[in-house]
């Protein structure tokens, strides 16, 4: 099992300067340890490729965080107060075991890039539409429907929902007026909503198959 060195916790005291960026990648960590207690000035935290099972609610106390990278861990649940991380602009949670998204996600109004690829997410909360993301990755999840709230994400430029179980896209997607790229390959789509015709900035759509027909 990996561990977090005491030198991390004592950095500010030892060097008389704040620790703002911390990467501990591929170290077999099973928890975030006491990082929230000792690293109050962090703006970037990367604990990717470890064995962390708990996205501790204590992380939410780090109000200066703008970027969190926890991809390739074993996280099953997100804290209900994750929306209090209002400074976040980038959140990487790909390749975990997450099944649900807390409603407080809608409070992450500064979030620009969200990667939830390769999880077990079954649905999105209505509050999701309150975010101002430009990039949203939901590939390889268990979505059977795409909540109409996505139509409220008016800053969205890139949306990728490949490898889910979608049978249709909501008409509300036509309200994503800034959308440029849409990936919906390897779903169960039978048809596309007419509202896609409203997306004047849309440049590329990856379909794979539609109504049983294959598109290159």
């Amino acid at each position: 099992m990996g561990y977090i060195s005491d030198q991390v916790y004592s950095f500010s005291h030892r060097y008389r300067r704040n620790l703002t960026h911390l990467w501990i990648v591929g170290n077999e960590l099973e928890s975030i340890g006491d990082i929230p207690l000792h690293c109050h000035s962090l703006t970037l935290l990367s604990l990717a490729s470890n064995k962390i099972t708990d996205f501790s609610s204590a992380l939410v106390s780090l109000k200066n965080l703008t970027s969190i990278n926890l991809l390739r861990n074993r996280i099953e649940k997100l804290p209900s107060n994750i929306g209090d991380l209002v400074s976040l602009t980038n959140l990487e949670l790909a390749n975990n075991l997450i099944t649900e998204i807390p409603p407080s996600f809608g409070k992450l109004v500064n979030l620009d890039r969200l990667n939830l690829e390769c999880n077990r997410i079954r649905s999105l909360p209505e509050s999701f539409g309150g975010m101002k993301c430009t990039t949203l990755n939901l590939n390889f999840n268990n979505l059977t429907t795409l909540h109409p709230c996505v139509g409220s994400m008016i800053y969205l430029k890139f949306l990728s929902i490949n490898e889910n179980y979608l049978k249709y896209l909501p008409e509300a997607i036509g309200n994503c007026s800034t959308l440029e790229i849409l990936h919906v390959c390897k779903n169960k789509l039978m048809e596309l909503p007419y509202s896609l015709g409203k997306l004047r900035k849309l440049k590329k759509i990856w379909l794979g198959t539609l109504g049983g027909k294959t598109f290159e």
Side-chain angles (χ1 to χ4, degrees):
M1 181 180 69
Y3 72 98
I4 299 174
S5 170
D6 287 339
Q7 293 187 31
V8 172
Y9 298 142
S10 63
F11 182 93
S12 296
H13 177 75
R14 182 188 297 265
Y15 298 105
R16 306 297 180 186
R17 59 186 299 183
N18 292 328
L19 181 64
T20 60
H21 292 60
L22 178 61
W23 291 267
I24 306 178
V25 177
N27 203 43
E28 298 191 349
L29 296 178
E30 294 184 357
S31 76
I32 65 169
D34 292 328
I35 288 175
L37 294 177
H38 300 281
C39 305
H40 305 291
S41 300
L42 284 180
T43 60
L44 182 151
L45 175 63
S46 179
L47 300 174
S49 300
N50 282 289
K51 298 180 179 180
I52 297 169
T53 59
D54 180 32
F55 188 125
S56 173
S57 60
L59 271 180
V60 179
S61 67
L62 301 179
K63 302 298 185 183
N64 295 318
L65 279 173
T66 61
S67 180
I68 296 177
N69 187 342
L70 285 167
L71 66 82
R72 290 192 294 274
N73 277 283
R74 300 175 181 177
I75 297 168
E76 297 183 9
K77 187 176 181 180
L78 299 175
S80 60
N81 61 341
I82 192 172
D84 292 341
L85 288 167
V86 294
S87 296
L88 273 186
T89 60
N90 179 62
L91 182 57
E92 295 276 351
L93 292 171
N95 295 89
N96 278 284
L97 304 170
I98 300 165
T99 58
E100 296 183 5
I101 303 299
S104 69
F105 243 77
K107 296 166 59 179
L108 299 174
V109 295
N110 291 307
L111 194 61
D112 179 70
R113 187 177 189 279
L114 176 59
N115 188 356
L116 291 166
E117 184 176 44
C118 295
N119 278 283
R120 300 175 180 178
I121 298 166
R122 297 185 293 266
S123 63
L124 303 178
E126 185 174 0
S127 61
F128 217 72
M131 295 189 298
K132 298 179 181 179
C133 291
T134 63
T135 301
L136 175 59
N137 189 337
L138 290 163
N139 293 337
F140 297 95
N141 276 284
N142 294 331
L143 294 171
T144 56
T145 61
L146 186 63
H147 198 291
C149 69
V150 72
S152 298
M153 302 180 73
I154 59 175
Y155 299 95
L156 198 59
K157 294 182 178 180
F158 177 91
L159 174 60
S160 191
I161 42 179
N162 297 325
E163 297 273 1
N164 279 277
Y165 301 93
L166 302 177
K167 294 182 179 179
Y168 66 90
L169 298 176
E171 287 289 340
I173 199 171
N175 296 326
C176 298
S177 58
T178 58
L179 192 63
E180 297 178 1
I181 298 175
L182 175 62
H183 289 213
V184 288
C185 292
K186 295 188 177 180
N187 279 280
K188 298 182 178 182
L189 295 175
M190 298 304 295
E191 59 183 11
L192 295 176
Y194 287 109
S195 63
L196 284 183
K198 296 165 54 179
L199 301 177
R200 302 304 180 189
K201 294 186 177 181
L202 190 63
K203 300 175 182 177
K204 297 178 181 179
I205 303 179
W206 273 264
L207 288 175
T209 59
L210 180 67
K213 296 181 179 179
T214 299
F215 293 81
E216 298 296 335

